[in-house]
Amino acid sequence: MPLYDCMLLLKPHVKKEALMDLVAKVGKHVHRKNGVLTDLKSFGTVQLGYGIRKLDGRYYQGQLMQMTMMTPPNLNNELHYLNKEDRLLRWLLVKHRDIKFGMDFFGEDDTKAELSKFRSNLYEDEEEEEEDDDDEYNTDEAERNKV
């Protein structure tokens, strides 16, 4: 089963009990579909880049929640009941990809070789630049001595 992040942006005045009720509702739905809720993060109240207009006004702040879950791919079609939820401003479901960053990108054997190539190339370029500078100064001095 693939890993998904469900981002929930709730209205800023929603109480903690109502927020946890919504999270439990989504979690139960995931569990019914043989999924597992692996992580839950709350980012607190965040400032929005633009106002989100709803029937009861325009919101410039929201409470941001992230739910990480392993679930079958068809869950995306079944979460559309969140569109009718009054407490939510926006929601988004994002699928994790098998992308590796940084040192995880290289294998253990490749890491040292790649880094040593980079390090040696870095120092070789500096030495060549220094030698070129010396040649420029030597030619100027030779021209001055000729005159």
Side-chain angles (χ1 to χ4, degrees):
M1 282 190 279
L3 195 64
Y4 290 93
D5 276 336
C6 183
M7 304 297 292
L8 302 171
L9 183 64
L10 292 99
K11 294 179 180 178
H13 63 272
V14 173
K15 292 190 166 65
K16 200 169 200 173
E17 294 82 19
L19 185 141
M20 294 312 293
D21 179 47
L22 180 64
V23 169
K25 187 176 179 181
V26 174
K28 286 177 185 174
H29 190 85
V30 169
H31 184 60
R32 268 188 263 125
K33 299 297 175 185
N34 295 326
V36 178
L37 190 64
T38 59
D39 193 17
L40 180 65
K41 292 181 188 174
S42 173
F43 295 98
T45 303
V46 294
Q47 296 292 325
L48 305 178
Y50 58 90
I52 297 177
R53 190 170 50 126
K54 290 291 181 180
L55 294 175
D56 56 345
R58 187 173 292 271
Y59 295 92
Y60 293 93
Q61 293 180 340
Q63 296 181 45
L64 187 61
M65 296 284 298
Q66 176 184 355
M67 298 173 64
T68 305
M69 58 188 91
M70 290 179 68
T71 184
N74 61 356
L75 182 78
N76 186 24
N77 298 333
E78 298 171 8
L79 283 180
H80 287 287
Y81 68 88
L82 291 174
N83 291 337
K84 298 176 184 172
E85 187 65 48
D86 290 338
R87 299 171 280 193
L88 276 177
L89 293 173
R90 296 277 192 271
W91 68 275
L92 175 69
L93 189 68
V94 181
K95 183 178 181 181
H96 279 241
R97 303 285 182 197
D98 293 331
I99 298 175
K100 296 180 180 179
F101 297 100
M103 298 300 284
D104 294 334
F105 180 73
F106 298 110
E108 289 182 21
D109 297 332
D110 297 337
T111 305
K112 292 179 183 176
E114 290 293 326
L115 289 178
S116 66
K117 287 180 190 176
F118 177 71
R119 187 172 292 140
S120 64
N121 289 342
L122 181 68
Y123 293 125
E124 288 173 6
D125 291 342
E126 288 180 4
E127 290 174 3
E128 290 175 5
E129 289 176 6
E130 290 176 6
E131 290 174 4
D132 292 339
D133 291 342
D134 293 340
D135 293 338
E136 290 177 14
Y137 292 122
N138 291 340
T139 56
D140 290 339
E141 290 177 15
E143 290 178 10
R144 287 182 191 163
N145 292 338
K146 290 180 185 177
V147 176

